[in-house]
Amino acid sequence: MAETAVSLAREHLLPKIVEAVKMLRDLPKEVADITEELESFQDFINDADQVAEAEEDDGRRDRIKKRVMRLREAAFRMEDIIDEFSIHDENNPHDPRCAALLCEAVEFIKTRILQLQVAYKIQDVKSLVCAERDGFQKQFPLPTKPSGSRGNQNVTWHKLRMDPLFIEQDEVVGFESPRRTLNNWLIEGREERTVISVVGLAGVGKTTLAKQVFDNVHNNFECHALITVSQSYTVEGLLRDMLHQFCKEKMENHPADVSTMDRRSLIEEVRKQLRNKRYVVMFDDVWNEKFWNDVEFAGIDNKNKSRILITTRYEKVAHFCKKSSFIEVHKLEEPLSEEECFRLFCNKAFKYGFDGRCPEELKDISLEIVRKCKGLPLAIVAIGGLLSQKDFCAHEWILFSQNLSLELERNSELNSIGKILSLSYYDLPYNLRLCLLYFGMYPEDYEVKSSRLIRQWVAEGFVKRETGKILEEVARQELSRLILRSLVQVSSFSIDGKVKRCRVHDLIHDMILRKAKETGFCQYFGVYNESVSSGIVRRLIITVDSNDLVGIERSHIRSILIFRKEKLTEQFMDKMFSKYMSLRVLDFENAGLLNVPNALGNLIHLKYLSFRNSWIQSLPKSIGKLKNLEILDVRRTMVFDIPKEISKIRKLRHLLGEEISFIAMKECLGSMTFLEKIRVLKVDPEGVVIRELGKLKQLRNLRITNFTAKLTNTLCSSIHEMQYLEVLHIHVGHENEVIDFPLMSSLSTLRKLFLNGKLESFPNWISHLQNLVKLSLNNSKLTNDPLESLKGMPNLLFVSISHYAYVGETLYFEDGGFRKLKDLELKYLNKLNYIFIERGALQTLKKLGLKKIPQLRKVPSGIQHLEKLEVLHIEDMPSVFEHSIAEDGGQDHWMIRHVPRVQIKNSYFESVARAMGIDSSPLTSLNNQLYGRIQVKFF
């Protein structure tokens, strides 16, 4: 009997065991193979997607898109398997070996059962991908060379593209200022050939503007040509087109062999035509950033004010020309005013019915439709043209406005708007498409903080590491690429020129949401769309608290963003945390979250976790299970004590809070060696935390509070180990504590420094920080003017001296000092009574803030020399100071007359009015009369 059992084991069981061991040995190679296959498969999906986009037949296009979605779902499964392997591989990093005995082999397989499951899943997904690819090719064969989305566009698309080239002068609305600018660049200016570029979002009016200016000026040139370039140009085709136009203009025959000339011969022929002539050539719709390489030698420089005019969506196209030509760049960013938009709309909608005048009964709904276009001429013209064909019935137009997003997608005369906008999307590399689609995770008109967006991109894996750069730096480069392509608009910059907040145009946002739906990238779950599609959805945006979420297939969800300020129920939270096991990003910023369930520890894939501005008071100990977590944000919450279990998260790079106490884990902090940013770390009395900081050699951003003088040497020693440190904030625990650091030679990389504490004297080492761009001094109690030490710093952009940082009576800005300073804040300086600015000082200053300086009775002497000053912000200053600069009779008003914005804020009158129970608005009205153009605000 025993022999029979052994025989059966050899015959049936042993081959299975050998096969399993082999699969485990080959697993890393199999994962590498499907990772490579995934890239190729994504290219195939991209080609298939563009075929669907270009298809004119609605029914066939829908069928193609359904098959493309099946391809994407197969790709999603490949991604999930690769991620699953990475997690299990970390748990079992050792290479499988052949076991000597059968029992050892069985025991070995049992310990690798999850990895074995991955191996079998790989076999399944390979078959799935092969079947889906073959099935698509049989039903919708791809051409050998995929036709781009421009290759098969319909008549409406071409009409929209060509309309701006044939628009009459009297039909152009707006653009007065940029028209004057371009006119001047084309006619006046330098003798050398100059490339002038008009850059902007698709449909913003680049071609209309450039063509109008070109028509106005081309008679001032001996030769002129207008060439439409687009995406699929050939260099020979452009050169032949130029030759044809030059010869036609001179009524000459072009060379007989022009159709057979090679590129070099064509260049020589064009140069011959242009030699010793003043010429202007307009290249419309340039996409390739290296386009200038193709035409630069044809455009000879005769030093006679010849000009090249380019329209492009990509700012890089303009800057690439700088390699061999002078350039001028006009970014067409300002939208048409509402009045101009309405006039343009009426020109299209009512030109042949009411002489371009809007009927009174349609005025309100017309304005509503125009506002939805957000100043984009392309949309206004297309929608106005469509409505001109409809009955002028208010009810019908109201229905059209209510369903405008649907109309833009389905109406054959309007969906070309989306196609024109989506051209920029299809021109992006795969990872940049994902970055752009992420703007769909945020509501329309939402200005997202770039730091938040960048960290989410990194957590999602959209950004690949580059040598010598941290991931956030690479991600910021990707954001810049989207901005340079006119797909993302910058809302605000930081003082050092980095993007602070950004957004996308509403019509770009609509396009993104359509692509997100088609690709399964993300889906909203809110009041009006509480059902999730049956296909795979990668990401969720949640605006409601609903138990319906538990029905969503959990294994494919990568990210969840919560946009719900109302309280989230415990039932909802428990089910969500236990359900979404594969999450990479979980963002509760501004959400109504009270408690974090212990089930948080289930989300072992999580890389980004934000509770910012929520209502939580503590973190569960289970957070220590999130071994892949890289970003933890508890700013503006009630979380102050960090559980010691967090030290188990060895991959954590950013730990962000308001004032985080590490008492529970002060001796473990040094083990978190991946940390790059800590905000704000509360120092323990013994200084153990400070000593542990020395082990965090990757730190780039450090903010500490509760610092005491006795810890100075320990802190200096720790900082000496941080060779990448860029931001340092030090707050003392008591106002009489002294910050007295010796020479900090290790801080050569420092860019931002904030010191809040008493200084015996101004630290000499600060003036040696060549890369410092931002400096803030608080409560320093300096008796000597610190400006003498700061005036020569080469890159200083922002200086704040506040809260008794200086206790002297005068500040003196010398000629030539602060050559790059843009922003200066002087606040809460009780003894300061005189500020003098020599001519030649602060020549780049754009903003000056003065707040609560009770002894300062006069505006800074010499402020009239600050020609670049844009904003003068005055808050809670003496009334004699405010009256001295009043527009109506102020004796010093002449000194600030050149400043575009003067803001005066005063909390005193408001508080008095509130105490007396009276309305403060008459005070505001009275002061508006007194100060005229100056903005006055009580608060």
Side-chain angles (χ1 to χ4, degrees):
M1 191 74 176
E3 290 178 359
T4 303
V6 170
S7 176
L8 289 172
R10 285 176 178 170
E11 184 178 351
H12 298 287
L13 185 58
L14 187 58
K16 296 289 185 184
I17 293 174
V18 171
E19 179 188 358
V21 172
K22 183 178 185 305
M23 290 180 73
L24 287 170
R25 289 174 65 99
D26 293 343
L27 184 55
K29 181 180 180 303
E30 289 291 317
V31 172
D33 287 345
I34 69 161
T35 301
E36 186 176 338
E37 169 64 18
L38 177 60
E39 293 184 12
S40 171
F41 194 48
Q42 284 168 340
D43 290 338
F44 181 83
I45 294 171
N46 176 51
D47 295 341
D49 198 21
Q50 293 196 52
V51 168
E53 186 74 12
E55 179 57 53
E56 295 182 35
D57 181 84
D58 291 345
R60 181 176 171 84
R61 183 172 59 249
D62 289 343
R63 292 194 299 274
I64 297 174
K65 285 187 175 182
K66 286 179 182 178
R67 285 305 301 245
V68 172
M69 193 61 218
R70 287 172 56 175
L71 295 172
R72 282 201 176 89
E73 291 182 356
F76 289 162
R77 295 185 189 281
M78 294 173 78
E79 291 173 352
D80 291 340
I81 290 170
I82 293 167
D83 289 344
E84 191 176 344
F85 169 77
S86 66
I87 295 295
H88 299 322
D89 192 48
E90 287 179 3
N91 294 332
N92 302 287
H94 304 295
D95 294 331
R97 305 185 189 92
C98 288
L101 300 173
L102 179 64
C103 60
E104 291 178 350
V106 172
E107 194 61 32
F108 169 76
I109 292 171
K110 285 169 64 177
T111 62
R112 300 291 193 276
I113 193 68
L114 294 176
Q115 288 176 308
L116 187 58
Q117 289 175 358
V118 170
Y120 280 113
K121 287 179 181 179
I122 288 176
Q123 304 306 316
D124 292 341
V125 80
K126 278 184 172 181
S127 300
L128 174 64
V129 167
C130 185
E132 289 295 343
R133 190 199 295 261
D134 291 346
F136 187 92
Q137 280 284 45
K138 286 178 182 177
Q139 192 172 0
F140 309 106
L142 293 180
T144 306
K145 185 177 181 181
S147 58
S149 52
R150 279 183 178 261
N152 184 28
Q153 296 293 351
N154 58 33
V155 174
T156 308
W157 187 94
H158 283 296
K159 185 176 184 306
L160 278 172
R161 187 68 200 88
M162 298 301 290
D163 274 352
L165 294 175
F166 299 100
I167 193 170
E168 297 295 331
Q169 292 274 354
D170 59 357
E171 293 179 359
V172 178
V173 174
F175 301 131
E176 283 80 7
S177 177
R179 192 164 55 225
R180 286 193 297 270
T181 299
L182 293 179
N183 236 54
N184 184 59
W185 285 345
L186 285 162
I187 301 300
E188 306 299 332
R190 61 180 66 88
E191 300 294 322
E192 292 85 357
R193 178 192 62 191
T194 305
V195 179
I196 298 164
S197 300
V198 183
V199 182
L201 171 70
V204 79
K206 302 183 297 294
T207 300
T208 300
L209 169 63
K211 175 61 163 54
Q212 185 185 33
V213 175
F214 178 84
D215 288 343
N216 286 339
V217 305
H218 69 67
N219 287 332
N220 295 322
F221 296 82
E222 296 170 81
C223 289
H224 68 270
L226 193 159
I227 314 292
T228 299
V229 181
S230 299
Q231 286 172 298
S232 53
Y233 73 89
T234 64
V235 180
E236 291 78 8
L238 293 180
L239 296 171
R240 289 189 184 101
D241 198 356
M242 290 170 68
L243 275 175
H244 282 304
Q245 293 193 41
F246 293 150
C247 292
K248 182 180 178 181
E249 182 183 21
K250 294 188 293 183
M251 292 183 289
E252 296 177 356
N253 293 324
H254 56 69
D257 58 345
V258 68
S259 60
T260 59
M261 282 183 179
D262 60 17
R263 185 180 302 187
R264 179 173 177 176
S265 300
L266 287 166
I267 289 175
E268 289 174 350
E269 191 63 36
V270 171
R271 289 174 68 89
K272 190 169 99 174
Q273 291 284 338
L274 297 179
R275 187 163 286 114
N276 299 321
K277 294 184 178 69
R278 187 185 182 202
Y279 64 87
V280 59
V281 180
M282 174 176 163
F283 292 106
D284 182 44
D285 197 27
V286 178
W287 287 73
N288 189 336
E289 67 182 55
K290 297 182 179 179
F291 164 79
W292 185 242
N293 277 346
D294 296 328
V295 299
E296 63 173 313
F297 295 118
I300 192 169
D301 188 359
N302 296 305
K303 302 289 191 301
N304 59 0
K305 297 189 177 180
S306 291
R307 302 291 185 251
I308 306 289
L309 180 58
I310 288 176
T311 69
T312 180
R313 304 181 186 193
Y314 297 172
E315 197 171 337
K316 272 196 171 182
V317 169
H319 291 295
F320 195 84
C321 303
K322 202 185 297 182
K323 59 179 285 192
S324 61
S325 179
F326 290 101
I327 69 167
E328 299 285 358
V329 181
H330 180 78
K331 296 181 72 173
L332 202 55
E333 294 179 312
E334 288 297 320
L336 298 178
S337 67
E338 185 172 295
E339 180 185 349
E340 291 169 336
C341 290
F342 187 65
R343 185 150 47 96
L344 180 60
F345 175 81
C346 292
N347 285 350
K348 296 300 294 183
F350 307 114
K351 182 175 182 178
Y352 300 107
F354 296 88
D355 296 325
R357 295 186 180 88
C358 179
E360 195 62 37
E361 64 272 18
L362 293 176
K363 184 166 287 187
D364 289 343
I365 187 60
S366 294
L367 277 169
E368 181 181 310
I369 292 170
V370 165
R371 287 177 186 133
K372 289 183 178 181
C373 295
K374 295 297 175 80
L376 197 67
L378 171 71
I380 295 168
V381 168
I383 292 171
L386 176 66
L387 289 173
S388 70
Q389 304 167 47
K390 293 182 177 291
D391 292 336
F392 295 129
C393 168
H395 176 69
E396 186 175 344
W397 283 39
I398 289 170
L399 288 177
F400 176 87
S401 177
Q402 290 172 347
N403 296 287
L404 184 56
S405 293
L406 196 60
E407 292 281 353
L408 287 170
E409 184 176 357
R410 293 187 177 178
N411 191 297
S412 60
E413 295 197 37
L414 295 184
N415 63 19
S416 296
I417 298 173
K419 287 188 176 183
I420 287 179
L421 295 175
S422 67
L423 288 176
S424 295
Y425 168 81
Y426 284 113
D427 197 54
L428 295 172
Y430 181 71
N431 72 306
L432 266 187
R433 289 187 195 179
L434 298 176
C435 292
L436 179 64
L437 288 178
Y438 218 84
F439 281 91
M441 299 284 285
Y442 292 91
E444 190 175 75
D445 276 332
Y446 194 94
E447 291 187 356
V448 60
K449 295 187 288 290
S450 63
S451 57
R452 181 184 186 185
L453 186 71
I454 281 168
R455 289 172 185 142
Q456 289 169 344
W457 286 354
V458 169
E460 289 272 8
F462 298 164
V463 179
K464 304 304 179 186
R465 194 173 295 278
E466 292 183 10
T467 305
K469 296 177 182 176
I470 60 173
L471 287 168
E472 282 73 19
E473 289 174 341
V474 181
R476 193 168 287 280
Q477 289 176 357
E478 302 295 65
L479 178 59
S480 295
R481 290 172 69 186
L482 291 174
I483 292 166
L484 290 173
R485 289 170 177 257
S486 304
L487 286 167
V488 174
Q489 300 171 334
V490 180
S491 303
S492 60
F493 290 96
S494 62
I495 189 68
D496 54 351
K498 292 182 179 178
V499 177
K500 196 171 183 179
R501 290 178 179 270
C502 54
R503 61 183 296 274
V504 292
H505 190 281
D506 288 358
L507 290 178
I508 293 287
H509 192 266
D510 285 344
M511 182 270 289
I512 287 172
L513 291 184
R514 286 195 293 275
K515 299 299 178 189
K517 182 179 179 182
E518 291 171 6
T519 59
F521 183 87
C522 68
Q523 183 167 336
Y524 273 79
F525 191 91
V527 177
Y528 300 109
N529 47 4
E530 292 196 10
S531 62
V532 176
S533 62
S534 56
I536 292 177
V537 177
R538 254 336 192 202
R539 298 161 188 85
L540 288 179
I541 304 98
I542 299 174
T543 61
V544 295
D545 183 341
S546 171
N547 291 327
D548 292 344
L549 282 173
V550 299
I552 302 171
E553 188 178 354
R554 64 179 180 175
S555 61
H556 301 293
I557 300 295
R558 291 292 185 91
S559 300
I560 295 181
L561 270 61
I562 312 288
F563 287 96
R564 176 181 167 82
K565 292 187 177 181
E566 294 78 14
K567 178 183 174 183
L568 295 166
T569 64
E570 290 186 17
Q571 181 186 25
F572 172 81
M573 293 300 300
D574 286 337
K575 289 184 176 179
M576 191 179 73
F577 278 118
S578 62
K579 197 71 178 173
Y580 298 103
M581 300 288 289
S582 299
L583 283 180
R584 303 296 186 275
V585 172
L586 183 56
D587 193 334
F588 286 96
E589 185 166 332
N590 298 313
L593 180 63
L594 289 173
N595 299 299
V596 184
N598 197 53
L600 172 68
N602 294 334
L603 307 180
I604 58 173
H605 295 265
L606 206 61
K607 291 187 175 183
Y608 176 101
L609 178 59
S610 176
F611 298 110
R612 185 174 182 175
N613 203 28
S614 67
W615 306 337
I616 67 169
Q617 299 182 31
S618 62
L619 295 170
K621 294 181 178 180
S622 65
I623 196 171
K625 297 179 181 179
L626 306 182
K627 59 183 179 181
N628 291 293
L629 193 65
E630 297 181 6
I631 312 291
L632 176 60
D633 193 342
V634 290
R635 284 174 289 182
R636 299 183 68 183
T637 67
M638 297 297 289
V639 175
F640 300 112
D641 295 310
I642 296 293
K644 64 180 180 180
E645 286 76 12
I646 204 170
S647 63
K648 298 176 183 178
I649 309 176
R650 299 302 170 87
K651 294 182 180 180
L652 195 65
R653 297 187 300 110
H654 293 192
L655 181 52
L656 311 175
E658 295 302 332
E659 188 173 312
I660 303 174
S661 171
F662 279 80
I663 297 297
M665 56 160 294
K666 59 185 179 181
E667 295 179 354
C668 308
L669 178 62
S671 65
M672 302 171 70
T673 55
F674 276 74
L675 275 172
E676 296 172 4
K677 184 171 184 176
I678 301 179
R679 173 182 172 170
V680 176
L681 176 64
K682 186 176 181 180
V683 177
D684 62 293
E686 298 81 18
V688 177
V689 167
I690 295 291
R691 189 167 59 250
E692 287 288 295
L693 283 175
K695 301 174 183 178
L696 308 181
K697 300 181 186 300
Q698 300 299 315
L699 268 182
R700 296 169 183 264
N701 191 316
L702 174 62
R703 306 186 186 204
I704 62 174
T705 186
N706 206 39
F707 177 76
T708 56
K710 67 179 182 179
L711 301 175
T712 297
N713 291 335
T714 307
L715 181 59
C716 289
S717 177
S718 292
I719 288 177
H720 183 72
E721 301 296 322
M722 303 172 193
Q723 58 178 316
Y724 304 113
L725 194 65
E726 295 182 359
V727 180
L728 178 62
H729 284 221
I730 300 176
H731 296 247
V732 295
H734 188 275
E735 64 177 13
N736 290 324
E737 289 285 352
V738 176
I739 301 176
D740 185 18
F741 290 166
L743 181 64
M744 302 284 281
S745 58
S746 61
L747 289 176
S748 59
T749 57
L750 204 66
R751 300 180 70 251
K752 299 178 183 180
L753 176 63
F754 186 105
L755 299 178
N756 187 340
K758 187 176 180 181
L759 299 171
E760 294 291 358
S761 60
F762 187 82
N764 291 329
W765 53 269
I766 291 180
S767 59
H768 297 290
L769 301 177
Q770 298 295 297
N771 294 306
L772 200 70
V773 298
K774 194 169 184 177
L775 174 66
S776 294
L777 301 175
N778 275 15
N779 293 304
S780 308
K781 299 181 175 61
L782 290 169
T783 55
N784 294 328
D785 186 345
L787 302 183
E788 181 64 28
S789 299
L790 297 174
K791 66 181 181 182
M793 296 189 69
N795 292 301
L796 206 55
L797 302 174
F798 172 90
V799 170
S800 176
I801 302 174
S802 66
H803 292 81
Y804 319 106
Y806 176 58
V807 293
E809 296 183 355
T810 63
L811 283 174
Y812 196 94
F813 294 89
E814 295 181 12
D815 177 17
F818 300 94
R819 291 185 178 276
K820 290 189 177 181
L821 200 70
K822 293 181 179 179
D823 195 340
L824 174 63
E825 286 185 354
L826 303 172
K827 303 186 297 185
Y828 297 95
L829 303 176
N830 282 4
K831 294 186 178 181
L832 183 64
N833 59 37
Y834 187 70
I835 300 173
F836 185 79
I837 303 170
E838 280 190 354
R839 184 188 292 273
L842 300 171
Q843 287 303 289
T844 58
L845 196 69
K846 292 185 175 182
K847 183 177 180 181
L848 173 61
L850 303 172
K851 179 178 179 180
K852 284 204 172 183
I853 311 178
Q855 303 302 319
L856 189 64
R857 306 304 176 95
K858 294 175 65 66
V859 72
S861 176
I863 194 173
Q864 67 272 20
H865 304 316
L866 306 183
E867 297 177 357
K868 295 188 178 180
L869 191 63
E870 297 174 357
V871 179
L872 176 60
H873 182 87
I874 296 165
E875 187 171 341
D876 290 339
M877 292 293 286
S879 58
V880 64
F881 181 100
E882 294 181 7
H883 284 281
S884 72
I885 61 172
E887 189 172 3
D888 183 13
Q891 61 182 5
D892 293 331
H893 175 73
W894 66 273
M895 298 173 70
I896 64 163
R897 193 162 43 212
H898 66 292
V899 183
R901 291 173 58 199
V902 180
Q903 302 169 329
I904 297 179
K905 294 186 177 182
N906 200 314
S907 59
Y908 173 74
F909 292 110
E910 176 67 18
S911 60
V912 170
R914 225 179 4 249
M916 298 176 63
I918 62 175
D919 183 9
S920 63
S921 56
L923 291 170
T924 301
S925 176
L926 173 64
N927 277 272
N928 282 340
Q929 295 175 32
L930 174 63
Y931 293 108
R933 69 179 178 87
I934 299 174
Q935 302 170 19
V936 182
K937 182 178 180 181
F938 303 116
F939 65 101

